[in-house]
Amino acid sequence: MRISGLATGMDIDQMVKDLMTAERVPLDKLSQQKQVVEWQKESYRELNTMMSEMRTAASSMRLQSGYNAYKAVSSNADTVKATSTSSSVPGSYTVTVNQLAESAKYVSAAAIQNEAGTNAKATDKVLHAADNDTTFELTNAKGQTATVTITAADTFKSLAEKIAGAKDDSTGETLGMRANFDNTTSRFFISTKAMGGDESLTLSSFTDKTVAQRLLGGATNASATGTYGSVSFDGIVVDNLKTNATTINNLKIDLVQKGTSTVSVQSDTQAPFDMVKSFVEKYNEFVDKTKGLLTEKRNRDFPPLTDAQREDLTEKEIELWEEKARSGLLQSDSTVRGITSSLRNAWMSPVEGIPAGELSMLSQIGINTGSYQDGGKLFIDEAKLKSALEEKPDEVMNLFTSGSNGIGDRLYDSVNQGIDQLGKKAGTPGSLIDSSFLSTRLKNLDEQMRTWEGKLETVENRYWKQFGALETAMDRMNQQSLWVQQNLLGGM
């Protein structure tokens, strides 16, 4: 326990605090250095994240599939819907839907009556009061058979659910059925899930023929078979389709109903235009960010605040101070400057190996840099770029994808190199392992700070020990002085 100033009358607590404030100056400087490094690391990592987004955008720019964009237009979308692929061949095609693929479907022959003699509802009981439990067999095209039991508790809805969930008696495999009892028509709608002429369903072997006739409109069994789809593509018949979707000549075709449509496949300039524009926008955002970081003024009169300084300021004052303290931490940074220069060269250098007379520079398709004050931002003449994509799509594609020298590959490689450089400098966001330069520096600063904290603890204990000795000495002197006074006064 520390007793402060009883004998000396001094405010030893405050004196020790004042002395320790001076002693803490080296530790405070280390703490401020650490804060500066952490801010620098945040800035580098923010740039790294922006470059990762650029890499995603650049990835498709280096692939020919990004420029082989086509759109398909159907003259009769109620009959045929068409979707192009990157390998679709431009042209006009006549597509005729001869037959839609259909599942095996059974619909009750007539409205089913309930026991009261009116059209049945889904909640009505299937069996009449005098009926006993009964069974029937449901069979699919594979010969799988499920025995379905109708009990006194079954409603038309629950019977439909049993049919839909029917499983083969031997293997336990589902029969692949759909079933519903419709309140509006008082009929069962039963079908196979799969379509095609090889699909079928059969309801048979009712143990109670009377129940069978009530359910099947007078019959004692029922069956249905599916239908294959068929389409003609420029006179070529494609049949035995088990779905109403197929791909012919790299063109995806959806069959809607019987009829004929003309499908036109033509270049889609919007897709590659949007791809290039998206990257340019992300690149310009990066340029704006780096330009600000590289040219910000460094305010050396505003070092990071210490904990003691923060206690004397309001939140707003702290915010304003830190805004100045964080300014210019990457001013003229060689790593960031090198990355921006590399990206600029990747954009603007001519593409080698392009045949004479063909597009070899971005300026030829309407992409140019602005003035020096713009920091290397790119500006797009949208009309010129769209015109190039429409009139010279292959040349635009070669400009971006020509071997390893195409602009797309150059940008992708340059972005990757930048991400690697920033990662070595400050680590990669999301990575669990971080042996970057700044992270290593932070660890060293933490070790130095721990060492200083140990030293300061020793110094503070020494001060208290010294002041404690002073207190003890003063207490003894006071006691001696009192003894002398008492003896002198007592002898008078």
Side-chain angles (χ1 to χ4, degrees):
M1 183 176 69
R2 295 168 174 172
I3 300 174
S4 175
L6 293 178
T8 61
M10 296 186 297
D11 188 351
I12 295 177
D13 273 334
Q14 188 60 47
M15 293 177 68
V16 172
K17 285 182 180 179
D18 292 341
L19 289 168
M20 290 307 298
T21 296
E23 297 285 355
R24 287 185 63 88
V25 169
L27 179 61
D28 287 339
K29 287 184 177 180
L30 287 173
S31 178
Q32 288 171 322
Q33 289 179 38
K34 179 182 177 182
Q35 182 64 77
V36 168
V37 174
E38 287 177 341
W39 284 340
Q40 288 176 328
K41 184 176 179 179
E42 287 177 15
S43 295
Y44 282 125
R45 287 196 163 204
E46 184 180 358
L47 293 178
N48 205 331
T49 299
M50 294 179 74
M51 293 200 74
S52 295
E53 293 175 356
M54 274 202 294
R55 177 170 60 184
T56 300
S59 180
S60 56
M61 287 177 57
R62 63 197 182 108
L63 304 175
Q64 291 187 353
S65 59
Y67 304 88
N68 290 334
Y70 301 95
K71 60 182 177 181
V73 180
S74 174
S75 64
N76 187 359
D78 291 334
T79 297
V80 172
K81 292 181 179 179
T83 306
S84 64
T85 67
S86 61
S87 302
S88 294
V89 180
S92 182
Y93 308 94
T94 300
V95 181
T96 301
V97 179
N98 305 315
Q99 176 64 53
L100 293 177
E102 296 182 355
S103 59
K105 301 176 182 177
Y106 168 77
V107 180
S108 303
I112 299 173
Q113 305 293 302
N114 57 23
E115 189 168 11
T118 61
N119 286 352
K121 300 296 182 183
T123 54
D124 290 338
K125 294 295 179 63
V126 177
L127 299 180
H128 294 180
D131 294 333
N132 295 317
D133 291 356
T134 186
T135 63
F136 67 91
E137 293 182 350
L138 177 64
T139 306
N140 64 12
K142 297 178 182 179
Q144 295 173 315
T145 300
T147 300
V148 180
T149 301
I150 307 174
T151 69
D154 277 319
T155 61
F156 289 101
K157 179 182 178 181
S158 68
L159 177 56
E161 291 171 348
K162 285 184 176 181
I163 294 171
K167 296 180 180 179
D168 180 66
D169 292 339
S170 300
T171 65
E173 294 181 20
T174 179
L175 268 61
M177 298 291 173
R178 290 190 175 93
N180 177 56
F181 187 84
D182 179 56
N183 274 332
T184 303
T185 61
S186 298
R187 284 173 165 83
F188 278 108
F189 287 78
I190 305 172
S191 66
T192 56
K193 291 181 179 179
M195 295 187 290
D198 57 351
E199 295 296 327
S200 66
L201 65 88
T202 302
L203 294 89
S204 62
S205 303
F206 281 83
T207 55
D208 188 326
K209 305 303 180 185
T210 301
V211 173
Q213 291 171 348
R214 283 206 304 265
L215 296 178
L216 304 179
T220 57
N221 58 69
S223 62
T225 303
T227 305
Y228 287 116
S230 174
V231 62
S232 295
F233 187 91
D234 272 357
I236 303 171
V237 178
V238 179
D239 50 20
N240 294 328
L241 297 176
K242 292 176 66 65
T243 69
N244 287 311
T246 186
T247 300
I248 304 174
N249 195 25
N250 295 314
L251 189 64
K252 295 179 180 178
I253 298 173
D254 292 316
L255 314 183
V256 182
Q257 65 179 11
K258 290 182 179 181
T260 300
S261 175
T262 299
V263 176
S264 300
V265 179
Q266 50 193 292
S267 295
D268 180 11
T269 61
Q270 191 63 43
F273 174 84
D274 290 341
M275 176 180 65
V276 173
K277 184 178 180 180
S278 174
F279 186 91
V280 169
E281 289 173 348
K282 291 185 182 300
Y283 172 80
N284 285 342
E285 289 174 6
F286 181 78
V287 169
D288 278 336
K289 184 69 176 179
T290 55
K291 179 185 175 184
L293 292 174
L294 291 170
T295 58
E296 274 182 336
K297 179 183 177 182
R298 182 77 172 98
N299 296 311
R300 300 189 182 279
D301 294 334
F302 291 85
L305 295 168
T306 64
D307 291 339
Q309 290 171 331
R310 285 174 175 273
E311 293 177 0
D312 297 329
L313 299 176
T314 65
E315 290 186 7
K316 185 62 177 178
E317 288 172 333
I318 292 173
E319 180 183 344
L320 292 173
W321 183 284
E322 290 193 343
E323 183 179 337
K324 291 183 178 294
R326 295 184 69 142
S327 175
L329 294 182
L330 297 186
Q331 184 185 47
S332 300
D333 183 87
S334 60
T335 300
V336 177
R337 192 176 294 280
I339 290 172
T340 56
S341 177
S342 175
L343 284 171
R344 192 177 301 116
N345 289 334
W347 266 115
M348 304 315 299
S349 299
V351 177
E352 299 176 358
I354 297 289
E358 293 189 4
L359 301 174
S360 62
M361 295 185 66
L362 284 177
S363 58
Q364 294 172 304
I365 62 172
I367 302 177
N368 293 280
T369 55
S371 64
Y372 175 77
Q373 289 79 7
D374 293 317
K377 288 177 66 175
L378 294 172
F379 296 88
I380 299 178
D381 182 335
E382 295 191 3
K384 189 172 182 178
L385 176 57
K386 287 183 177 179
S387 177
L389 288 167
E390 290 172 357
E391 298 173 8
K392 301 178 180 180
D394 292 339
E395 292 187 27
V396 175
M397 179 180 70
N398 288 336
L399 181 63
F400 283 92
T401 67
S402 179
S404 60
N405 188 46
I407 291 173
D409 272 310
R410 294 192 323 215
L411 283 171
Y412 187 80
D413 292 342
S414 182
V415 170
N416 261 337
Q417 291 171 9
I419 289 174
D420 183 60
Q421 288 176 289
L422 292 173
K424 290 178 179 177
K425 192 81 173 183
T428 303
S431 175
L432 298 177
I433 301 175
D434 184 0
S435 56
S436 65
F437 171 76
L438 291 184
S439 293
T440 301
R441 189 175 176 191
L442 286 172
K443 290 178 183 177
N444 292 335
L445 287 170
D446 282 335
E447 290 177 2
Q448 293 180 54
M449 290 173 67
R450 282 194 293 270
T451 300
W452 264 104
E453 286 169 353
K455 290 180 179 178
L456 290 175
E457 184 177 354
T458 300
V459 170
E460 185 176 6
N461 288 335
R462 188 184 74 233
Y463 280 137
W464 278 107
K465 187 175 181 180
Q466 290 172 340
F467 279 113
L470 177 61
E471 284 287 311
T472 301
M474 288 297 296
D475 182 59
R476 288 176 179 171
M477 289 179 63
N478 288 337
Q479 290 180 9
Q480 291 175 356
S481 175
L482 180 62
W483 181 84
V484 170
Q485 289 179 355
Q486 289 176 342
N487 279 281
L488 288 175
L489 293 174
M492 291 179 66

